[in-house]
Amino acid sequence: MRPGVYVANDASALPLPTSGYDIYVIGEFHGQREVHLFFIEYLKMLHKTIGLRDVVLEYPNAYERKINAYVLGEISEDVSSYYLGVFLEGVKAYNETLPEDEKIRLHAVNIDFPWSIIHEHLILLQEEIGSLAEKILIPSLDEFEAMSKSDKLNLVEKLKAVTDDPSLLHELEIVRISIQGYPSRGIPSPDVREGLTTMCIQYVREKLDGAPILALYGGWHARKSSVCVSTESQPWAQRLTERGISIYSILMTGVSGEYYGRPSSGSLDWGIRELNVNLSHDRFADGMTLNDVFEGNPDYNILYIDLRSGIKISIIDPWLSGIFALDVPPEKMFDGIVLLRKVTPLCQES
């Protein structure tokens, strides 16, 4: 449509990069089915071009074994209640077409939260360690929740003391950080979450000897630059970028429709007319808006803005203020923006 502005109906028709980066990230607004379908198509593109097999998810590490077992066809349990149903079904279907040594593997790198998930993870790790951990008593969930934080941490140290398996020790460290940073109210702080996620992604990259990975994470976390005063509060994508890891990051959302998933639900109608596209090329500096693109191309449902092309976009919609830092140009935070004409809920509210 203009340099850096593209319309399409399928991810494969867009000039998305498929080489040259260590990590590819889609920063989503949660709860939109079409975002996950787009992600699956991008995964297929990356797998076919560079052999990418590994996907990082914003999901409690405690469930990593279960979601991998599902997409590898080892269990048939319905996992749609995890708010990853569409994604997991897509990966499972794709894996069925791939040879064993090319199948997609999932890495859940988010913090364990709330206490029930931490407790579940501890029991799982005790079972994985085996006989050496049998004498370590892990109480019921009610008793565990009532324990002091120091007593909970002591349980983790006891389990660490009876294993030298690097993977299990890594997971126990995740549990330790999850307990240590457990909030008295609300959700874990950015200091805790972003630090843990950074640690986990670095661990995955080390295990893979630096092989490229694709990540599905909330848009706030996928920012490569921010105005966070505290270094500890910086998004993980910014932390890794500043450590020399090359990241291609997309912000993706629908502009109309309904969404439902974690952590909320609602309607999308945030005024695309207020998203002004100001192109850096003088001959196209005509005040064109994203609304102009959608209204002028009614047969296309996907709009891709390649911020690497020199295009300038001003974000003035208050609904997006939680993602975009007003003092940082969008092209400094993301490499691209993908907007969908209309989306539907990722899962149904029960």
Side-chain angles (χ1 to χ4, degrees), residues 152-187:
K152 292 184 178 82
L153 291 171
N154 189 44
L155 271 179
V156 176
E157 294 307 316
K158 287 181 178 179
L159 290 171
K160 281 187 173 182
V162 294
T163 182
D164 57 2
D165 184 296
S167 295
L168 296 178
L169 288 171
H170 171 71
E171 289 189 64
L172 285 165
E173 180 61 11
I174 292 173
V175 175
R176 186 196 69 78
I177 294 172
S178 300
I179 294 172
Q180 185 68 56
Y182 200 94
S184 57
R185 62 184 66 181
I187 60 175

PDB file of all heavy atoms in Angstrom, residues 152-187:
ATOM      1  N   LYS A 152       8.479 -22.531  53.141  1.00  0.00           N
ATOM      2  CA  LYS A 152       8.279 -22.946  51.749  1.00  0.00           C
ATOM      3  C   LYS A 152       9.628 -22.993  51.016  1.00  0.00           C
ATOM      4  O   LYS A 152       9.924 -23.936  50.270  1.00  0.00           O
ATOM      5  CB  LYS A 152       7.328 -21.978  51.039  1.00  0.00           C
ATOM      6  CG  LYS A 152       5.880 -21.992  51.527  1.00  0.00           C
ATOM      7  CD  LYS A 152       5.042 -21.059  50.659  1.00  0.00           C
ATOM      8  CE  LYS A 152       3.579 -21.074  51.063  1.00  0.00           C
ATOM      9  NZ  LYS A 152       3.304 -20.191  52.212  1.00  0.00           N
ATOM     10  N   LEU A 153      10.418 -21.968  51.227  1.00  0.00           N
ATOM     11  CA  LEU A 153      11.738 -21.927  50.583  1.00  0.00           C
ATOM     12  C   LEU A 153      12.631 -23.054  51.075  1.00  0.00           C
ATOM     13  O   LEU A 153      13.451 -23.591  50.316  1.00  0.00           O
ATOM     14  CB  LEU A 153      12.397 -20.571  50.851  1.00  0.00           C
ATOM     15  CG  LEU A 153      11.745 -19.366  50.161  1.00  0.00           C
ATOM     16  CD1 LEU A 153      12.348 -18.063  50.682  1.00  0.00           C
ATOM     17  CD2 LEU A 153      11.904 -19.452  48.652  1.00  0.00           C
ATOM     18  N   ASN A 154      12.473 -23.428  52.332  1.00  0.00           N
ATOM     19  CA  ASN A 154      13.254 -24.531  52.889  1.00  0.00           C
ATOM     20  C   ASN A 154      12.935 -25.842  52.183  1.00  0.00           C
ATOM     21  O   ASN A 154      13.820 -26.688  51.969  1.00  0.00           O
ATOM     22  CB  ASN A 154      12.986 -24.655  54.392  1.00  0.00           C
ATOM     23  CG  ASN A 154      13.929 -25.642  55.054  1.00  0.00           C
ATOM     24  OD1 ASN A 154      15.130 -25.646  54.797  1.00  0.00           O
ATOM     25  ND2 ASN A 154      13.380 -26.491  55.911  1.00  0.00           N
ATOM     26  N   LEU A 155      11.669 -26.030  51.798  1.00  0.00           N
ATOM     27  CA  LEU A 155      11.284 -27.225  51.040  1.00  0.00           C
ATOM     28  C   LEU A 155      12.047 -27.280  49.714  1.00  0.00           C
ATOM     29  O   LEU A 155      12.531 -28.343  49.301  1.00  0.00           O
ATOM     30  CB  LEU A 155       9.778 -27.212  50.763  1.00  0.00           C
ATOM     31  CG  LEU A 155       8.847 -27.850  51.784  1.00  0.00           C
ATOM     32  CD1 LEU A 155       7.398 -27.712  51.313  1.00  0.00           C
ATOM     33  CD2 LEU A 155       9.189 -29.316  51.984  1.00  0.00           C
ATOM     34  N   VAL A 156      12.137 -26.143  49.059  1.00  0.00           N
ATOM     35  CA  VAL A 156      12.849 -26.084  47.782  1.00  0.00           C
ATOM     36  C   VAL A 156      14.323 -26.454  47.980  1.00  0.00           C
ATOM     37  O   VAL A 156      14.892 -27.238  47.202  1.00  0.00           O
ATOM     38  CB  VAL A 156      12.736 -24.671  47.163  1.00  0.00           C
ATOM     39  CG1 VAL A 156      13.566 -24.592  45.871  1.00  0.00           C
ATOM     40  CG2 VAL A 156      11.285 -24.326  46.880  1.00  0.00           C
ATOM     41  N   GLU A 157      14.945 -25.928  49.024  1.00  0.00           N
ATOM     42  CA  GLU A 157      16.357 -26.213  49.278  1.00  0.00           C
ATOM     43  C   GLU A 157      16.580 -27.688  49.579  1.00  0.00           C
ATOM     44  O   GLU A 157      17.610 -28.265  49.184  1.00  0.00           O
ATOM     45  CB  GLU A 157      16.873 -25.341  50.430  1.00  0.00           C
ATOM     46  CG  GLU A 157      16.887 -23.848  50.107  1.00  0.00           C
ATOM     47  CD  GLU A 157      17.626 -23.524  48.823  1.00  0.00           C
ATOM     48  OE1 GLU A 157      18.720 -24.087  48.613  1.00  0.00           O
ATOM     49  OE2 GLU A 157      17.101 -22.726  48.017  1.00  0.00           O
ATOM     50  N   LYS A 158      15.641 -28.307  50.272  1.00  0.00           N
ATOM     51  CA  LYS A 158      15.759 -29.741  50.562  1.00  0.00           C
ATOM     52  C   LYS A 158      15.734 -30.551  49.269  1.00  0.00           C
ATOM     53  O   LYS A 158      16.489 -31.536  49.117  1.00  0.00           O
ATOM     54  CB  LYS A 158      14.635 -30.187  51.486  1.00  0.00           C
ATOM     55  CG  LYS A 158      14.778 -29.723  52.935  1.00  0.00           C
ATOM     56  CD  LYS A 158      13.618 -30.231  53.773  1.00  0.00           C
ATOM     57  CE  LYS A 158      13.770 -29.805  55.241  1.00  0.00           C
ATOM     58  NZ  LYS A 158      12.620 -30.278  56.074  1.00  0.00           N
ATOM     59  N   LEU A 159      14.878 -30.166  48.341  1.00  0.00           N
ATOM     60  CA  LEU A 159      14.813 -30.878  47.065  1.00  0.00           C
ATOM     61  C   LEU A 159      16.073 -30.616  46.232  1.00  0.00           C
ATOM     62  O   LEU A 159      16.581 -31.518  45.561  1.00  0.00           O
ATOM     63  CB  LEU A 159      13.566 -30.450  46.294  1.00  0.00           C
ATOM     64  CG  LEU A 159      12.229 -30.934  46.873  1.00  0.00           C
ATOM     65  CD1 LEU A 159      11.059 -30.275  46.159  1.00  0.00           C
ATOM     66  CD2 LEU A 159      12.110 -32.458  46.770  1.00  0.00           C
ATOM     67  N   LYS A 160      16.577 -29.398  46.277  1.00  0.00           N
ATOM     68  CA  LYS A 160      17.815 -29.094  45.553  1.00  0.00           C
ATOM     69  C   LYS A 160      18.983 -29.940  46.059  1.00  0.00           C
ATOM     70  O   LYS A 160      19.861 -30.343  45.282  1.00  0.00           O
ATOM     71  CB  LYS A 160      18.166 -27.615  45.708  1.00  0.00           C
ATOM     72  CG  LYS A 160      17.384 -26.668  44.815  1.00  0.00           C
ATOM     73  CD  LYS A 160      17.945 -25.248  44.950  1.00  0.00           C
ATOM     74  CE  LYS A 160      17.310 -24.313  43.950  1.00  0.00           C
ATOM     75  NZ  LYS A 160      17.882 -22.937  44.037  1.00  0.00           N
ATOM     76  N   ALA A 161      18.969 -30.224  47.350  1.00  0.00           N
ATOM     77  CA  ALA A 161      20.093 -30.931  47.973  1.00  0.00           C
ATOM     78  C   ALA A 161      20.176 -32.397  47.556  1.00  0.00           C
ATOM     79  O   ALA A 161      21.222 -33.036  47.741  1.00  0.00           O
ATOM     80  CB  ALA A 161      19.995 -30.825  49.494  1.00  0.00           C
ATOM     81  N   VAL A 162      19.097 -32.948  46.997  1.00  0.00           N
ATOM     82  CA  VAL A 162      19.106 -34.379  46.674  1.00  0.00           C
ATOM     83  C   VAL A 162      19.108 -34.644  45.163  1.00  0.00           C
ATOM     84  O   VAL A 162      18.816 -35.756  44.720  1.00  0.00           O
ATOM     85  CB  VAL A 162      17.906 -35.105  47.333  1.00  0.00           C
ATOM     86  CG1 VAL A 162      18.045 -35.085  48.842  1.00  0.00           C
ATOM     87  CG2 VAL A 162      16.575 -34.491  46.907  1.00  0.00           C
ATOM     88  N   THR A 163      19.420 -33.614  44.370  1.00  0.00           N
ATOM     89  CA  THR A 163      19.532 -33.843  42.931  1.00  0.00           C
ATOM     90  C   THR A 163      20.683 -33.016  42.366  1.00  0.00           C
ATOM     91  O   THR A 163      20.991 -31.928  42.863  1.00  0.00           O
ATOM     92  CB  THR A 163      18.228 -33.478  42.191  1.00  0.00           C
ATOM     93  OG1 THR A 163      18.385 -33.757  40.788  1.00  0.00           O
ATOM     94  CG2 THR A 163      17.887 -32.005  42.356  1.00  0.00           C
ATOM     95  N   ASP A 164      21.311 -33.552  41.321  1.00  0.00           N
ATOM     96  CA  ASP A 164      22.330 -32.784  40.600  1.00  0.00           C
ATOM     97  C   ASP A 164      21.951 -32.645  39.129  1.00  0.00           C
ATOM     98  O   ASP A 164      22.769 -32.256  38.301  1.00  0.00           O
ATOM     99  CB  ASP A 164      23.701 -33.439  40.739  1.00  0.00           C
ATOM    100  CG  ASP A 164      23.716 -34.888  40.245  1.00  0.00           C
ATOM    101  OD1 ASP A 164      22.652 -35.364  39.763  1.00  0.00           O
ATOM    102  OD2 ASP A 164      24.763 -35.541  40.354  1.00  0.00           O
ATOM    103  N   ASP A 165      20.683 -32.957  38.811  1.00  0.00           N
ATOM    104  CA  ASP A 165      20.196 -32.838  37.442  1.00  0.00           C
ATOM    105  C   ASP A 165      20.016 -31.351  37.097  1.00  0.00           C
ATOM    106  O   ASP A 165      19.234 -30.652  37.744  1.00  0.00           O
ATOM    107  CB  ASP A 165      18.856 -33.571  37.302  1.00  0.00           C
ATOM    108  CG  ASP A 165      18.345 -33.572  35.877  1.00  0.00           C
ATOM    109  OD1 ASP A 165      18.055 -32.472  35.355  1.00  0.00           O
ATOM    110  OD2 ASP A 165      18.215 -34.655  35.288  1.00  0.00           O
ATOM    111  N   PRO A 166      20.727 -30.847  36.083  1.00  0.00           N
ATOM    112  CA  PRO A 166      20.660 -29.414  35.756  1.00  0.00           C
ATOM    113  C   PRO A 166      19.249 -28.928  35.439  1.00  0.00           C
ATOM    114  O   PRO A 166      18.870 -27.823  35.840  1.00  0.00           O
ATOM    115  CB  PRO A 166      21.576 -29.282  34.536  1.00  0.00           C
ATOM    116  CG  PRO A 166      22.510 -30.448  34.633  1.00  0.00           C
ATOM    117  CD  PRO A 166      21.689 -31.555  35.231  1.00  0.00           C
ATOM    118  N   SER A 167      18.464 -29.740  34.732  1.00  0.00           N
ATOM    119  CA  SER A 167      17.108 -29.333  34.371  1.00  0.00           C
ATOM    120  C   SER A 167      16.215 -29.212  35.599  1.00  0.00           C
ATOM    121  O   SER A 167      15.432 -28.257  35.731  1.00  0.00           O
ATOM    122  CB  SER A 167      16.494 -30.321  33.374  1.00  0.00           C
ATOM    123  OG  SER A 167      17.199 -30.309  32.157  1.00  0.00           O
ATOM    124  N   LEU A 168      16.339 -30.183  36.501  1.00  0.00           N
ATOM    125  CA  LEU A 168      15.532 -30.147  37.720  1.00  0.00           C
ATOM    126  C   LEU A 168      15.963 -28.994  38.631  1.00  0.00           C
ATOM    127  O   LEU A 168      15.129 -28.340  39.266  1.00  0.00           O
ATOM    128  CB  LEU A 168      15.614 -31.476  38.456  1.00  0.00           C
ATOM    129  CG  LEU A 168      15.035 -32.685  37.714  1.00  0.00           C
ATOM    130  CD1 LEU A 168      15.225 -33.961  38.529  1.00  0.00           C
ATOM    131  CD2 LEU A 168      13.562 -32.475  37.398  1.00  0.00           C
ATOM    132  N   LEU A 169      17.259 -28.755  38.697  1.00  0.00           N
ATOM    133  CA  LEU A 169      17.747 -27.632  39.500  1.00  0.00           C
ATOM    134  C   LEU A 169      17.258 -26.304  38.929  1.00  0.00           C
ATOM    135  O   LEU A 169      16.935 -25.376  39.683  1.00  0.00           O
ATOM    136  CB  LEU A 169      19.273 -27.658  39.563  1.00  0.00           C
ATOM    137  CG  LEU A 169      19.888 -28.775  40.426  1.00  0.00           C
ATOM    138  CD1 LEU A 169      21.397 -28.836  40.228  1.00  0.00           C
ATOM    139  CD2 LEU A 169      19.552 -28.558  41.908  1.00  0.00           C
ATOM    140  N   HIS A 170      17.208 -26.216  37.603  1.00  0.00           N
ATOM    141  CA  HIS A 170      16.679 -25.004  36.964  1.00  0.00           C
ATOM    142  C   HIS A 170      15.209 -24.804  37.338  1.00  0.00           C
ATOM    143  O   HIS A 170      14.793 -23.684  37.693  1.00  0.00           O
ATOM    144  CB  HIS A 170      16.824 -25.116  35.443  1.00  0.00           C
ATOM    145  CG  HIS A 170      16.125 -24.030  34.689  1.00  0.00           C
ATOM    146  ND1 HIS A 170      16.562 -22.722  34.678  1.00  0.00           N
ATOM    147  CD2 HIS A 170      14.994 -24.068  33.920  1.00  0.00           C
ATOM    148  CE1 HIS A 170      15.748 -21.994  33.933  1.00  0.00           C
ATOM    149  NE2 HIS A 170      14.795 -22.781  33.462  1.00  0.00           N
ATOM    150  N   GLU A 171      14.426 -25.864  37.290  1.00  0.00           N
ATOM    151  CA  GLU A 171      13.009 -25.746  37.642  1.00  0.00           C
ATOM    152  C   GLU A 171      12.828 -25.412  39.120  1.00  0.00           C
ATOM    153  O   GLU A 171      11.935 -24.632  39.481  1.00  0.00           O
ATOM    154  CB  GLU A 171      12.273 -27.033  37.300  1.00  0.00           C
ATOM    155  CG  GLU A 171      12.105 -27.263  35.818  1.00  0.00           C
ATOM    156  CD  GLU A 171      11.177 -28.433  35.526  1.00  0.00           C
ATOM    157  OE1 GLU A 171       9.984 -28.349  35.878  1.00  0.00           O
ATOM    158  OE2 GLU A 171      11.653 -29.430  34.953  1.00  0.00           O
ATOM    159  N   LEU A 172      13.641 -25.979  39.963  1.00  0.00           N
ATOM    160  CA  LEU A 172      13.560 -25.663  41.387  1.00  0.00           C
ATOM    161  C   LEU A 172      13.916 -24.199  41.641  1.00  0.00           C
ATOM    162  O   LEU A 172      13.361 -23.563  42.541  1.00  0.00           O
ATOM    163  CB  LEU A 172      14.477 -26.588  42.192  1.00  0.00           C
ATOM    164  CG  LEU A 172      13.956 -28.013  42.371  1.00  0.00           C
ATOM    165  CD1 LEU A 172      15.058 -28.947  42.854  1.00  0.00           C
ATOM    166  CD2 LEU A 172      12.778 -28.031  43.351  1.00  0.00           C
ATOM    167  N   GLU A 173      14.816 -23.662  40.830  1.00  0.00           N
ATOM    168  CA  GLU A 173      15.148 -22.241  40.953  1.00  0.00           C
ATOM    169  C   GLU A 173      13.942 -21.378  40.535  1.00  0.00           C
ATOM    170  O   GLU A 173      13.679 -20.328  41.136  1.00  0.00           O
ATOM    171  CB  GLU A 173      16.377 -21.905  40.115  1.00  0.00           C
ATOM    172  CG  GLU A 173      16.817 -20.455  40.162  1.00  0.00           C
ATOM    173  CD  GLU A 173      17.209 -19.967  41.552  1.00  0.00           C
ATOM    174  OE1 GLU A 173      17.352 -20.807  42.493  1.00  0.00           O
ATOM    175  OE2 GLU A 173      17.366 -18.748  41.724  1.00  0.00           O
ATOM    176  N   ILE A 174      13.216 -21.832  39.525  1.00  0.00           N
ATOM    177  CA  ILE A 174      11.993 -21.130  39.125  1.00  0.00           C
ATOM    178  C   ILE A 174      10.998 -21.120  40.274  1.00  0.00           C
ATOM    179  O   ILE A 174      10.372 -20.092  40.585  1.00  0.00           O
ATOM    180  CB  ILE A 174      11.371 -21.783  37.871  1.00  0.00           C
ATOM    181  CG1 ILE A 174      12.276 -21.567  36.655  1.00  0.00           C
ATOM    182  CG2 ILE A 174       9.969 -21.225  37.610  1.00  0.00           C
ATOM    183  CD1 ILE A 174      11.832 -22.317  35.422  1.00  0.00           C
ATOM    184  N   VAL A 175      10.838 -22.270  40.932  1.00  0.00           N
ATOM    185  CA  VAL A 175       9.930 -22.356  42.074  1.00  0.00           C
ATOM    186  C   VAL A 175      10.403 -21.441  43.200  1.00  0.00           C
ATOM    187  O   VAL A 175       9.607 -20.742  43.833  1.00  0.00           O
ATOM    188  CB  VAL A 175       9.805 -23.809  42.569  1.00  0.00           C
ATOM    189  CG1 VAL A 175       8.955 -23.880  43.835  1.00  0.00           C
ATOM    190  CG2 VAL A 175       9.207 -24.698  41.482  1.00  0.00           C
ATOM    191  N   ARG A 176      11.709 -21.440  43.445  1.00  0.00           N
ATOM    192  CA  ARG A 176      12.249 -20.591  44.526  1.00  0.00           C
ATOM    193  C   ARG A 176      11.946 -19.120  44.259  1.00  0.00           C
ATOM    194  O   ARG A 176      11.487 -18.390  45.152  1.00  0.00           O
ATOM    195  CB  ARG A 176      13.757 -20.793  44.648  1.00  0.00           C
ATOM    196  CG  ARG A 176      14.363 -20.056  45.855  1.00  0.00           C
ATOM    197  CD  ARG A 176      15.879 -19.950  45.749  1.00  0.00           C
ATOM    198  NE  ARG A 176      16.284 -19.058  44.672  1.00  0.00           N
ATOM    199  CZ  ARG A 176      16.252 -17.719  44.757  1.00  0.00           C
ATOM    200  NH1 ARG A 176      15.817 -17.124  45.864  1.00  0.00           N
ATOM    201  NH2 ARG A 176      16.649 -16.980  43.729  1.00  0.00           N
ATOM    202  N   ILE A 177      12.202 -18.675  43.021  1.00  0.00           N
ATOM    203  CA  ILE A 177      11.944 -17.282  42.674  1.00  0.00           C
ATOM    204  C   ILE A 177      10.442 -16.979  42.769  1.00  0.00           C
ATOM    205  O   ILE A 177      10.045 -15.894  43.225  1.00  0.00           O
ATOM    206  CB  ILE A 177      12.472 -16.976  41.264  1.00  0.00           C
ATOM    207  CG1 ILE A 177      14.003 -17.075  41.246  1.00  0.00           C
ATOM    208  CG2 ILE A 177      12.031 -15.590  40.790  1.00  0.00           C
ATOM    209  CD1 ILE A 177      14.609 -16.978  39.863  1.00  0.00           C
ATOM    210  N   SER A 178       9.628 -17.931  42.356  1.00  0.00           N
ATOM    211  CA  SER A 178       8.178 -17.744  42.410  1.00  0.00           C
ATOM    212  C   SER A 178       7.700 -17.576  43.845  1.00  0.00           C
ATOM    213  O   SER A 178       6.814 -16.761  44.130  1.00  0.00           O
ATOM    214  CB  SER A 178       7.467 -18.929  41.750  1.00  0.00           C
ATOM    215  OG  SER A 178       7.841 -19.069  40.388  1.00  0.00           O
ATOM    216  N   ILE A 179       8.273 -18.358  44.760  1.00  0.00           N
ATOM    217  CA  ILE A 179       7.912 -18.240  46.177  1.00  0.00           C
ATOM    218  C   ILE A 179       8.452 -16.939  46.759  1.00  0.00           C
ATOM    219  O   ILE A 179       7.741 -16.189  47.429  1.00  0.00           O
ATOM    220  CB  ILE A 179       8.461 -19.435  46.980  1.00  0.00           C
ATOM    221  CG1 ILE A 179       7.762 -20.732  46.548  1.00  0.00           C
ATOM    222  CG2 ILE A 179       8.269 -19.213  48.488  1.00  0.00           C
ATOM    223  CD1 ILE A 179       8.381 -21.988  47.155  1.00  0.00           C
ATOM    224  N   GLN A 180       9.728 -16.665  46.485  1.00  0.00           N
ATOM    225  CA  GLN A 180      10.367 -15.475  47.037  1.00  0.00           C
ATOM    226  C   GLN A 180       9.645 -14.202  46.598  1.00  0.00           C
ATOM    227  O   GLN A 180       9.481 -13.259  47.370  1.00  0.00           O
ATOM    228  CB  GLN A 180      11.829 -15.427  46.600  1.00  0.00           C
ATOM    229  CG  GLN A 180      12.623 -14.281  47.218  1.00  0.00           C
ATOM    230  CD  GLN A 180      12.817 -14.459  48.718  1.00  0.00           C
ATOM    231  OE1 GLN A 180      13.344 -15.477  49.151  1.00  0.00           O
ATOM    232  NE2 GLN A 180      12.362 -13.489  49.500  1.00  0.00           N
ATOM    233  N   GLY A 181       9.209 -14.175  45.351  1.00  0.00           N
ATOM    234  CA  GLY A 181       8.573 -12.973  44.820  1.00  0.00           C
ATOM    235  C   GLY A 181       7.069 -12.978  44.868  1.00  0.00           C
ATOM    236  O   GLY A 181       6.427 -12.126  44.239  1.00  0.00           O
ATOM    237  N   TYR A 182       6.490 -13.935  45.603  1.00  0.00           N
ATOM    238  CA  TYR A 182       5.029 -14.029  45.655  1.00  0.00           C
ATOM    239  C   TYR A 182       4.456 -12.770  46.292  1.00  0.00           C
ATOM    240  O   TYR A 182       4.857 -12.358  47.381  1.00  0.00           O
ATOM    241  CB  TYR A 182       4.598 -15.263  46.449  1.00  0.00           C
ATOM    242  CG  TYR A 182       3.179 -15.689  46.158  1.00  0.00           C
ATOM    243  CD1 TYR A 182       2.922 -16.647  45.193  1.00  0.00           C
ATOM    244  CD2 TYR A 182       2.094 -15.128  46.834  1.00  0.00           C
ATOM    245  CE1 TYR A 182       1.633 -17.060  44.908  1.00  0.00           C
ATOM    246  CE2 TYR A 182       0.799 -15.525  46.552  1.00  0.00           C
ATOM    247  CZ  TYR A 182       0.576 -16.489  45.583  1.00  0.00           C
ATOM    248  OH  TYR A 182      -0.714 -16.876  45.298  1.00  0.00           O
ATOM    249  N   PRO A 183       3.486 -12.130  45.623  1.00  0.00           N
ATOM    250  CA  PRO A 183       2.962 -10.858  46.140  1.00  0.00           C
ATOM    251  C   PRO A 183       1.966 -11.064  47.276  1.00  0.00           C
ATOM    252  O   PRO A 183       1.290 -12.093  47.347  1.00  0.00           O
ATOM    253  CB  PRO A 183       2.259 -10.261  44.923  1.00  0.00           C
ATOM    254  CG  PRO A 183       1.791 -11.470  44.167  1.00  0.00           C
ATOM    255  CD  PRO A 183       2.855 -12.517  44.350  1.00  0.00           C
ATOM    256  N   SER A 184       1.891 -10.106  48.145  1.00  0.00           N
ATOM    257  CA  SER A 184       0.895 -10.164  49.215  1.00  0.00           C
ATOM    258  C   SER A 184      -0.498  -9.911  48.659  1.00  0.00           C
ATOM    259  O   SER A 184      -1.494 -10.318  49.245  1.00  0.00           O
ATOM    260  CB  SER A 184       1.225  -9.128  50.294  1.00  0.00           C
ATOM    261  OG  SER A 184       1.296  -7.829  49.730  1.00  0.00           O
ATOM    262  N   ARG A 185      -0.561  -9.227  47.521  1.00  0.00           N
ATOM    263  CA  ARG A 185      -1.830  -9.003  46.832  1.00  0.00           C
ATOM    264  C   ARG A 185      -1.539  -8.798  45.344  1.00  0.00           C
ATOM    265  O   ARG A 185      -0.424  -8.490  44.954  1.00  0.00           O
ATOM    266  CB  ARG A 185      -2.566  -7.791  47.401  1.00  0.00           C
ATOM    267  CG  ARG A 185      -1.813  -6.474  47.243  1.00  0.00           C
ATOM    268  CD  ARG A 185      -2.545  -5.325  47.904  1.00  0.00           C
ATOM    269  NE  ARG A 185      -2.587  -5.508  49.341  1.00  0.00           N
ATOM    270  CZ  ARG A 185      -3.191  -4.656  50.164  1.00  0.00           C
ATOM    271  NH1 ARG A 185      -3.792  -3.592  49.678  1.00  0.00           N
ATOM    272  NH2 ARG A 185      -3.170  -4.853  51.471  1.00  0.00           N
ATOM    273  N   GLY A 186      -2.545  -8.979  44.518  1.00  0.00           N
ATOM    274  CA  GLY A 186      -2.359  -8.758  43.091  1.00  0.00           C
ATOM    275  C   GLY A 186      -1.554  -9.845  42.414  1.00  0.00           C
ATOM    276  O   GLY A 186      -1.657 -11.023  42.732  1.00  0.00           O
ATOM    277  N   ILE A 187      -0.724  -9.442  41.466  1.00  0.00           N
ATOM    278  CA  ILE A 187       0.086 -10.369  40.680  1.00  0.00           C
ATOM    279  C   ILE A 187       1.559 -10.062  40.901  1.00  0.00           C
ATOM    280  O   ILE A 187       1.907  -8.994  41.391  1.00  0.00           O
ATOM    281  CB  ILE A 187      -0.262 -10.269  39.181  1.00  0.00           C
ATOM    282  CG1 ILE A 187       0.004  -8.839  38.668  1.00  0.00           C
ATOM    283  CG2 ILE A 187      -1.707 -10.668  38.931  1.00  0.00           C
ATOM    284  CD1 ILE A 187      -0.193  -8.692  37.185  1.00  0.00           C
TER     285      ILE A 187
END
